Amino acid sequence: MSNQYSNFRKKPNYEFIKTGEVFESLLNDFENPKPPEMPTGIVKLDNIIGGFHRGHLTIIAGRPGAGKTSLAAQFSFSLAKKGFKVFFFSLEMSKKEIIQRLISNECEVEHDIFQKGGYLNYEQKNRIQEARRLFDE
């Protein structure tokens, strides 16, 4: 029978490195910048924060109604379109509301049309049909 705490008893595996090696690696990164591994989908934001990074926690904060969930959904959709596996959930919005906002952003259709109902012109209908193919993938 294995003990679930056996890993805690093992001695840590320390690796000693010279700071000069790390410094050289950092200089190389400055001289040869790479595109973000996981881009946000907003170029200006990627230029500032360098996209999302594996193992990092990203917090989106703001006042109620400021669009935090919509922004997070848009980030998730952008990553999914690039082939990343994404799990998204919200305690504030229903799945229908999230999809409506994603369609609105992707198709450049005002969000109010979905909430209040309204007329979609031919071009808007075509953009929504094209977006549906993205969501089906």
Side-chain angles (χ1 to χ4, degrees), residues 46-97:
D46 286 337
N47 289 340
I48 295 169
I49 67 170
F52 296 114
H53 307 280
R54 293 186 190 277
H56 289 198
L57 173 65
T58 302
I59 297 173
I60 301 170
R63 296 180 56 82
K68 298 176 296 295
T69 302
S70 294
L71 182 63
Q74 194 61 41
F75 288 157
S76 298
F77 186 60
S78 177
L79 288 168
K81 287 193 305 187
K82 294 186 182 333
F84 291 96
K85 292 185 180 184
V86 175
F87 175 76
F88 184 85
F89 72 96
S90 172
L91 299 175
E92 298 176 336
M93 296 171 68
S94 70
K95 55 187 166 188
K96 185 176 180 180
E97 289 174 304

